[in-house]
Each structure stands twice: as structure tokens, then as C-alpha cells.
Amino acid sequence: MFTLPKLPYEYSALSPYINVDIQRLHYSAHHATYVKNLNVALEKNPEWQTKTIEEIITSLDKLPDDIKTAVRNSAGGHYNHSLFWQMMTPKKGLGQEPSGTLLGKIQCSFGDLNTFKEKFGQAAVKIFGSGWEWLVLDDKEIKLMNTSNQDNPLTQGKIPLLCLDVWEHAYYLQYFNKRSDYVEAWWNIVNWDDVAHRLDEAIKKQLTRFS
Ligand code: MN3
């Protein structure tokens, strides 16, 4: 049984950048529904119930045909939202700017932080329909990537470092059709400490694998 992880802050904590109504609905209705649907889809498949969410996401092609689409959508939805909550923080001033290895990788791939933000933002605005914009670790390099619906970079062997939900449910109640305003505001609540930690862990894992 998968369970809804506890939100690391109050519904109102990300305000004014993400208002309380969006946050409440997004977590308690949208994310909760992905968890519920995932459990329903796996009900008759006990061998899949004991796997971790990462194991499921990286072996979607091995799922029984009758539940493949449902699991792809709901497992992705559960995993993506669990990451998304952690990658935001209401604590202004704490981990608000990348430094160290993360900053080095950003400079290497994008030149500087502002160029990275600009490119990430432009790519997020351009996603047609529902999906996610990502910063991923692909081998040794960090790259932008986008996925449709609830697909995840992990399925394609890339490590998610930062993600932004651009489904309309993530911003419409506050920003209406202005997705670019939502993206711009969102930078104020990015949890850079979490992104840096994710990068460090991914590099550690790569080193163990190759040594
Ligand atoms: Mn969402």
C-alpha cells in the first residue's frame, strides 16, 4: 500500500507565490488521488505491491498490460508530486541560491544561474498541454528535460534534481492563463538545498557504481 507522504509545510506556507487554495487542492485532492489510483491498480498484483515507487517507475514496460497505463499515470503522479513538495520551501533565505557542486554544474551547462533560470522557464512555458519541466543529471551532465502528463525522467535513466508542475491545476486558480507568471514566482520558493542534496546523492551513487 502506498500512502500520501506528509506535506513538509502548511498549505499556506508557499503563499503568496502559491496560494493556499491551490496547495490544499493540489495535495489533498490531486496527489491523494494518484496514490489511491495506484493502490487500486495494484490490488490484484501483489508482486508489484512490495516494490518501491522508484522500482515501479523504472520497470513500467514489465507491468501487466491491463494495468500498464493506470500505473504509469498514477505511480508517476505520486512520485512526481512527492518530489515537487520537497523541492519547494517557505523558508526564505535558507538554501535560496545554489552553491558548490550544484552551482559548478549549472555554470558548466548553462553559463550562469540567470541563464539557467531563463532557459528552464522558457522551456516550462512552452510545454504543450499537461506536463513537467525538469533539471536532470544525465551521466555527468545536468540538462533540461520535459515530460508529458505524469511521465518521469527516471523511466529514461535520468536522475531528477528539480521539477516544476505545469499542469493547469498547479497554477490556474491563482495565475489563470499566465503560466509564465507562475514560473517567475516559483523561483522564490525553490528549495536549492534539496536540489544540491539530490545532486550529491546521485554523484555518490554513480561513483559507487563505476568503482
Ligand atoms: Mn500536479
Side-chain angles (χ1 to χ4, degrees):
M1 275 283 274
F2 287 93
T3 52
L4 187 62
K6 201 178 171 326
L7 198 64
Y9 32 72
E10 301 290 314
Y11 291 138
S12 60
L14 303 177
S15 174
Y17 309 109
I18 292 178
N19 75 25
V20 61
D21 294 331
I22 291 181
Q23 194 55 38
R24 183 188 297 114
L25 272 172
H26 203 171
Y27 172 79
S28 69
H30 293 273
H31 188 173
T33 303
Y34 291 119
V35 174
K36 185 172 149 245
N37 290 347
L38 177 60
N39 287 325
V40 169
L42 297 179
E43 237 163 35
K44 294 193 179 101
N45 298 270
E47 72 278 19
W48 284 86
Q49 289 169 4
T50 50
K51 293 192 191 295
T52 65
I53 193 72
E54 288 87 356
E55 284 168 343
I56 292 176
I57 279 170
T58 50
S59 45
L60 294 175
D61 51 333
K62 297 191 186 86
L63 282 158
D65 281 341
D66 61 327
I67 59 165
K68 202 172 268 188
T69 305
V71 173
R72 177 179 174 176
N73 291 334
S74 52
H78 175 36
Y79 184 69
N80 293 353
H81 287 89
S82 300
L83 287 178
F84 189 48
W85 311 139
Q86 290 167 30
M87 288 173 185
M88 296 189 285
T89 177
K91 291 180 188 143
K92 273 179 113 13
L94 182 85
Q96 286 298 303
E97 288 291 320
S99 59
T101 312
L102 175 61
L103 183 62
K105 290 261 185 209
I106 288 174
Q107 287 166 338
C108 195
S109 293
F110 304 97
D112 56 61
L113 180 62
N114 281 338
T115 309
F116 160 66
K117 285 184 177 177
E118 214 172 281
K119 289 197 168 153
F120 184 102
Q122 284 165 353
V125 169
K126 269 195 210 145
I127 294 172
F128 185 75
S130 297
W132 294 74
E133 184 63 35
W134 302 88
L135 177 69
V136 299
L137 181 66
D138 180 11
D139 194 15
K140 300 264 175 277
E141 224 185 310
I142 62 168
K143 288 178 182 170
L144 297 182
M145 179 174 172
N146 55 67
T147 56
S148 291
N149 303 314
Q150 296 298 352
D151 287 348
N152 181 283
L154 211 53
T155 309
Q156 298 173 49
K158 311 203 186 339
I159 312 297
L161 301 173
L162 175 66
C163 61
L164 176 60
D165 189 343
V166 298
W167 283 57
E168 284 187 346
H169 67 229
Y171 63 90
Y172 214 87
L173 282 178
Q174 184 175 0
Y175 295 97
F176 305 99
N177 58 329
K178 301 273 197 293
R179 189 191 283 178
S180 56
D181 289 358
Y182 159 63
V183 177
E184 202 51 47
W186 175 75
W187 290 117
N188 290 291
I189 42 172
V190 169
N191 186 349
W192 290 110
D193 280 350
D194 183 73
V195 182
H197 177 71
R198 239 167 254 288
L199 176 65
D200 289 344
E201 290 299 305
I203 292 173
K204 256 190 238 161
K205 256 191 209 162
Q206 284 180 339
L207 291 175
T208 337
R209 201 179 311 144
F210 295 128
S211 63

